[in-house]
Amino acid sequence: LSANTNYIAYLFKRAKGYFDVVAYAGNDGVNTLNHSLGAVPEMIWFKCRNNARNWFVFHKDVGIAAYLELDNNAAEAAFSTMFNSTEPTSTQFTVNTSFGNLNNASYTYISYLFATLAGVSKVGSVTHSGSYTDVNCGFSAGARVVMLKRTDATGGWFWWDSTRGIIAGNDPYFLLDTTDAQVTNTDFIDPLASGFQISGDFTDG
């Protein structure tokens, strides 16, 4: 960390129904892995720990035959067997060596599992047509962290939080897929008691 520089940190607590972390070793085959989420994972982030590889993302609304990359603004990419054509369950998820970035022998990986927990978290998708779009997350006091990524075309991984400000005005954001400093002069989202509202001015990066 550099002196005279501002940082922000995000801490996720491992908890049933909301978030879990699984470390595993690749096996060059079909790898069925146990988890302790206590719910079906709706989004999983994967990262190789001992070799240079991108961050790969499973999302329930993209499906098990495609993936996203957390450090890349590309649209979803098809790969029919990367999860062995097997939906995750409340106790396990599966990766396949045919997509070597998730299951190479001699490589070790870390995976982060997310799920919807009523009143706490929401994993989902929304269609935004350019006008204002209300996103109902089932909350009662608004969203504290919001991540948005366009999936059908190129678009950055936008990240907002209530510490820096999710207000009826400009809301600072940064992009997970770049090393750029935050952007502070845009009003792309607004507070909503049940979740958040996407502005008609929102662009997908």
Side-chain angles (χ1 to χ4, degrees):
L1 302 181
S2 302
N4 303 314
T5 305
N6 296 323
Y7 295 88
I8 191 164
Y10 300 92
L11 287 74
F12 295 94
K13 179 181 179 180
R14 293 178 73 181
K16 291 286 187 181
Y18 158 62
F19 180 65
D20 193 26
V21 181
V22 176
Y24 67 94
N27 68 3
D28 270 350
V30 175
N31 206 349
T32 301
L33 301 152
N34 296 325
H35 66 79
S36 300
L37 187 61
V40 176
E42 296 174 300
M43 180 170 63
I44 308 175
W45 299 353
F46 298 88
K47 183 70 175 76
C48 182
R49 293 185 289 162
N50 63 339
N51 204 289
R53 291 290 187 272
N54 287 13
W55 286 81
F56 291 92
V57 178
F58 158 81
H59 191 286
K60 67 181 181 67
D61 294 329
V62 171
I64 58 171
Y67 66 92
L68 297 162
E69 295 180 39
L70 194 62
D71 48 357
N72 189 322
N73 68 355
E76 65 182 71
F79 200 101
S80 61
T81 59
M82 64 185 299
F83 301 110
N84 200 47
S85 303
T86 304
E87 295 281 355
T89 72
S90 60
T91 58
Q92 294 180 324
F93 64 95
T94 305
V95 293
N96 192 319
T97 195
S98 63
F99 190 78
N101 291 294
L102 297 187
N103 197 37
N104 278 0
S106 78
Y107 290 2
T108 58
Y109 300 85
I110 193 77
S111 59
Y112 303 94
L113 288 66
F114 301 83
T116 297
L117 182 62
V120 175
S121 62
K122 177 66 176 179
V123 179
S125 59
V126 62
T127 299
H128 179 60
S129 61
S131 59
Y132 285 88
T133 302
D134 290 350
V135 181
N136 185 348
C137 301
F139 301 156
S140 59
R144 298 178 65 183
V145 172
V146 175
M147 182 177 72
L148 286 177
K149 168 72 175 83
R150 184 171 181 177
T151 60
D152 63 340
T154 299
W157 291 84
F158 286 78
W159 188 285
W160 295 267
D161 61 75
S162 58
T163 297
R164 291 176 301 143
I166 297 176
I167 59 174
N170 289 347
D171 315 281
Y173 74 84
F174 54 76
L175 297 169
L176 297 184
D177 52 288
T178 78
T179 59
D180 296 343
Q182 68 177 353
V183 178
T184 60
N185 62 349
T186 60
D187 183 18
F188 288 160
I189 67 171
D190 285 312
L192 187 69
S194 62
F196 60 98
Q197 182 185 74
I198 304 174
S199 165
D201 295 327
F202 175 67
T203 58
D204 52 36

